[in-house]
């Protein structure tokens, strides 16, 4: 009997250990990282906060820069600006002015991407093209919009209510355990003072923000399709469009297929000439390319030196299987006190001497890497797993202020137009014939090209928001949340719907980790199988092209 009791006690301890929630950072190699792919005007971000980023006075806000890696637990905020986020599976989020959005859950389940966002205030348009098993939802106010198929929807969250407009495909709206299906051309609105009355009608007329988003999607999808012919993959999209727009491809030989170089790069060009170094406690030093194309070549693939062209980026590993995210596509080496870096070769093995070592070493110099190489010579260079913290002086992002709560209201009605404030000085216009954005300093040319897509900077840029049914937007005044809007779910008690799980997609993408090192997402996650927010371990999975 005594032995029987001991066995039961042991089994009880095992069950307790198994059932105990796993911290989000328990497996640091499985964190998802997405890209801030475009920044216009005032955009800021917070890495960490308590409950609501709008109400947390201790949250530290920084100026958001192009190609910022975004992880679970981050928040983005705009004032007179707009921004775009590109996900690994081809989904895109477009954030309008005076908007705060939270990346509540960036995780994976059986190889499928699970994305849950919270629109705390403002306007967002979300383009979703999921692979098999992917889940994408946005909570705005008191309901959640789920997109399980190819779709595009606009969500507005106001002081007194929320509204969603379906612009492509179909979505499901969840409220109080009830589900309502919406198709293209339909809208759903709900008032805070009448939460049981979900008003379904036709979508509002498009405004300049909708037209800008349409142009961006058209530009990115067209460029991605062109670039994919050099990669021979259908799994990945984030960043490939920029390679088509800002550089050219050529055959590098040696069985490596096509390589890529940015326009204007000379023979002596160093891949790490332009960008910012940042230090992350989880994966060490990382590189943020400051060029529009500076995402994909610095986190995936590898580099080959051509005696004819110089350094070329090669999209190695994209044909199938996991593709690992890296903080920087380089190998850290040292010889005594001297620390340098060697561009990562597609054939490099973890911990082995880098194959590009014969091309020289780029030594570290303060906040930058030297533009000229140091010959390897007879010195013995050893590989570092990661560069020491003191190796570089971090290029700190500028501090910013907390976003202000903006007063906006929604009126009854099913039709009307909307307006968004933009910068009058913007010279970037959309060329509908070329399916891409062009830079024009000539106002007449800019207006002519923009008019092709129905967007006229001369009449829409720089103007203050106007009152128009069904939306009325008041002056940008600081306003405390009303008692009813204080019910916006906090991170501690947020009860987002659990994603309906199907079998995961094959292949896919993992973060830099495992045999390649380790990285970690924020510990502020949520469990897929439960509506209660808690820590979740992250895994990696697949994506699809646009």
């Amino acid at each position: 009997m005594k032995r029987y009791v001991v066995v039961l006690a042991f089994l009880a301890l095992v069950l307790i250990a198994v059932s105990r929630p796993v911290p989000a950072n328990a497996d640091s190699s499985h964190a998802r990282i997405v890209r801030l792919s475009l920044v216009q005007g005032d955009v800021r971000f917070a890495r960490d906060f308590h409950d609501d980023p709008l109400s947390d006075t201790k949250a530290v806000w920084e100026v958001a820069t192009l190609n910022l890696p975004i992880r679970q637990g981050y928040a983005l905020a705009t004032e007179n600006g707009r921004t775009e986020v590109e996900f690994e599976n081809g989904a895109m989020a477009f954030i309008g002015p005076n908007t705060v959005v939270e990346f509540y859950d960036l995780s994976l389940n059986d190889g499928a991407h699970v994305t849950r966002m919270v629109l705390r205030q403002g306007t967002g348009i979300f383009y979703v093209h999921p692979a098999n098993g992917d889940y994408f939802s946005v909570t705005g106010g008191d309901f959640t919009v789920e997109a399980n198929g190819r779709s595009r929807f606009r969500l507005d969250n106001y002081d007194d209510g929320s509204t969603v407009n379906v612009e492509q495909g179909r979505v499901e709206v969840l409220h109080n355990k009830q589900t309502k299906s919406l198709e293209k051309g339909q809208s759903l609105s709900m008032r805070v003072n009448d939460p049981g009355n979900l008003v379904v009608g036709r979508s509002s007329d498009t405004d300049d923000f909708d037209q800008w988003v349409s142009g961006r999607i058209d530009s990115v999808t067209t460029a991605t399709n062109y670039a994919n012919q050099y990669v021979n993959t259908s799994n990945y999209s984030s960043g490939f469009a920029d390679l088509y727009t800002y550089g050219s491809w050529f055959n590098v030989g040696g069985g490596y297929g096509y390589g890529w170089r940015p326009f204007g790069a000379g023979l002596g060009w160093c891949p790490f000439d332009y960008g910012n170094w940042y230090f992350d406690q989880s994966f060490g030093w990382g590189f943020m390319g400051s060029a529009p194309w500076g995402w994909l070549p610095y986190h995936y693939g590898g580099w080959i030196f051509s005696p004819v062209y110089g350094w070329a980026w090669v999209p190695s590993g994209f044909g199938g299987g996991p593709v690992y995210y890296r903080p920087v596509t380089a190998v850290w080496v040292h010889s005594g006190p001297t620390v340098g870096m060697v561009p990562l070769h597609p054939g490099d093995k973890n911990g082995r001497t880098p194959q590009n070592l014969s091309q020289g070493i780029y030594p570290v110099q303060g906040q930058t890497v030297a533009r000229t190489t140091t010959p390897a010579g007879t010195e013995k260079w050893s590989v570092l797993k990661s560069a020491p913290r003191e190796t570089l002086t971090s290029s700190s992002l500028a501090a910013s202020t907390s976003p202000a709560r903006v007063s906006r209201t929604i009126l009854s009605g099913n039709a009307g137009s909307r307006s968004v404030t933009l910068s009058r000085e913007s010279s970037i216009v959309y060329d509908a014939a070329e399916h891409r954005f062009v830079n024009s300093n000539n106002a007449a040319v800019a207006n002519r090209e923009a008019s092709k897509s129905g967007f006229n900077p001369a009449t829409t840029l720089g103007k203050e928001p106007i009152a128009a049914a069904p939306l009325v937007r008041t002056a940008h005044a600081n306003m405390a949340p009303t008692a009813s809007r204080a019910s916006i779910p906090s991170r501690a008690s947020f009860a987002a719907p659990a994603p309906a799980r199907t079998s995961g997609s094959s292949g896919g993408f993992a973060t830099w980790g495992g045999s390649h090192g380790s990285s970690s997402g924020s510990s502020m996650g949520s469990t897929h199988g439960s509506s209660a927010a808690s820590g979740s371990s992250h895994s990696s999975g697949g994506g699809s092209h646009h």
Side-chain angles (χ1 to χ4, degrees):
M1 175 63 71
K2 184 176 181 180
R3 181 180 179 184
Y4 179 72
V5 172
V6 171
V7 171
L8 287 179
F10 173 78
L11 291 176
L13 291 174
V14 171
L15 289 174
I16 292 173
V18 171
S19 62
R20 182 175 297 156
V22 179
N25 59 357
D27 185 356
S28 61
S29 65
H30 291 155
R32 280 183 60 198
I33 299 177
V34 299
R35 173 200 184 197
L36 189 65
S37 51
L38 186 143
V39 175
Q40 291 184 350
D42 182 359
V43 182
R44 62 196 73 171
F45 78 104
R47 306 170 193 256
D48 191 15
F49 49 88
H50 179 68
D51 291 342
D52 186 345
L54 272 170
S55 60
D56 185 358
T57 58
K58 295 182 179 180
V60 177
W61 290 88
E62 302 170 83
V63 174
T65 60
L66 180 66
N67 294 316
L68 173 75
I70 296 175
R71 300 196 292 169
Q72 178 174 293
Y74 278 28
L76 280 178
T78 60
E79 283 199 0
N80 187 23
R82 56 175 59 164
T83 189
E84 169 192 297
V85 177
E86 206 172 359
F87 297 83
E88 316 96 310
N89 60 353
M92 303 175 76
F94 304 88
I95 312 303
N98 300 297
T99 298
V100 178
V101 64
E102 173 187 346
F103 295 84
Y104 182 81
D105 182 6
L106 295 177
S107 56
L108 292 103
N109 188 345
D110 296 332
H113 295 79
V114 176
T115 301
R116 296 194 286 178
M117 305 171 68
V118 180
L119 184 68
R120 294 290 178 175
Q121 74 169 22
T123 298
I125 296 179
F126 305 91
Y127 173 77
V128 187
H129 189 184
N132 183 32
D134 286 356
Y135 174 87
F136 191 101
S137 73
V138 185
T139 297
D142 301 302
F143 61 74
T144 295
V145 182
E146 286 186 343
N148 295 315
R150 184 169 184 174
S151 57
R152 188 175 103 194
F153 63 92
R154 171 170 173 156
L155 183 59
D156 295 272
N157 188 17
Y158 301 96
D159 292 340
D160 62 346
S162 306
T163 182
V164 57
N165 291 275
V166 183
E167 301 174 346
Q168 180 183 358
R170 60 177 296 169
V171 302
E172 305 288 330
V173 178
L174 282 69
H175 172 65
N176 286 344
K177 299 183 180 180
Q178 297 181 346
T179 302
K180 177 67 178 178
S181 297
L182 297 179
E183 298 181 349
K184 177 182 178 180
Q186 289 186 309
S187 70
L188 182 146
S189 300
M190 188 188 71
R191 286 177 169 275
V192 170
N193 58 8
D194 191 12
N197 184 21
L198 302 181
V199 180
V200 177
R202 67 181 180 87
S203 295
S204 304
D205 295 336
T206 60
D207 62 7
D208 68 291
F209 184 56
D210 293 288
Q211 295 163 12
W212 175 76
V213 169
S214 295
R216 283 293 303 170
I217 294 175
D218 185 30
S219 175
V220 171
T221 54
T222 301
T224 298
N225 290 335
Y226 276 115
N228 277 346
Q229 64 183 313
Y230 300 103
V231 184
N232 190 29
T233 182
S234 60
N235 288 341
Y236 192 85
S237 65
S238 182
F240 273 122
D242 300 314
L243 304 188
Y244 164 75
T245 306
Y246 297 102
S248 58
W249 297 83
F250 63 97
N251 197 320
V252 297
Y256 291 103
Y258 287 94
W260 178 89
R261 281 170 60 81
F263 292 135
L267 182 63
W269 170 69
C270 169
F272 304 98
D273 278 350
Y274 304 104
N276 297 308
W277 291 92
Y278 67 98
F279 188 83
D280 186 281
Q281 295 294 337
S282 300
F283 55 74
W285 286 106
F287 189 79
M288 287 190 298
S290 56
W293 52 264
W295 172 261
L296 198 61
Y298 294 122
H299 301 299
Y300 300 91
W303 300 91
I304 288 180
F305 187 84
S306 166
V308 177
Y309 299 100
W311 288 110
W313 179 77
V314 177
S316 60
F318 287 93
V323 180
Y324 290 92
Y325 171 93
R326 289 178 172 270
V328 56
T329 46
V331 179
W332 294 100
V333 296
H334 77 102
S335 178
T338 303
V339 177
M341 60 185 299
V342 178
L344 180 73
H345 189 278
D348 280 348
K349 303 296 182 182
N350 187 47
R352 303 287 182 85
T353 301
Q355 296 187 37
N356 283 325
L357 185 65
S358 60
Q359 305 301 330
I361 298 97
Y362 292 94
V364 172
Q365 294 181 345
Q367 293 187 355
T368 63
V369 172
R371 294 191 177 188
T372 57
T373 60
T374 297
T378 58
E379 301 165 317
K380 182 178 180 180
W381 291 89
S382 301
V383 176
L384 291 169
K385 182 177 181 180
S386 60
R389 176 68 177 86
E390 64 276 7
T391 299
L392 286 161
T393 303
S394 181
S395 300
S396 299
L397 298 174
S400 185
T401 58
S402 301
R405 194 177 292 274
V406 177
S407 176
R408 297 177 178 177
T409 60
I410 179 172
L411 299 179
S412 301
N414 297 322
S417 59
R418 293 172 291 212
S419 175
V420 176
T421 303
L422 291 178
S423 170
R424 184 184 301 275
E425 287 73 29
S426 176
S427 61
I428 304 298
V429 298
Y430 179 69
D431 186 339
E434 296 292 330
H435 300 283
R436 65 202 300 180
F437 284 84
V438 297
N439 187 7
S440 173
N441 292 321
N442 184 302
V445 173
N447 293 340
R448 183 177 68 251
E449 296 298 328
S451 65
K452 296 178 182 178
S453 62
F455 180 77
N456 189 349
T459 59
T460 59
L461 298 186
K463 291 190 174 183
E464 290 299 316
I466 58 176
L471 309 180
V472 175
R473 299 178 182 179
T474 61
H476 298 169
N478 295 339
M479 185 177 224
T482 62
S484 55
R485 296 312 278 169
S487 63
I488 294 176
S490 67
R491 294 164 66 86
S493 59
F494 179 49
R501 303 310 312 141
T502 59
S503 58
S505 58
S506 60
F509 295 78
T511 56
W512 183 77
S515 61
H516 297 264
S518 65
S519 63
S520 175
S522 168
S523 61
M524 299 182 182
S526 56
T527 303
H528 324 318
S530 170
S531 61
S534 63
S536 66
S537 60
H538 306 291
S539 58
S540 56
S544 63
H545 62 79
H546 291 278

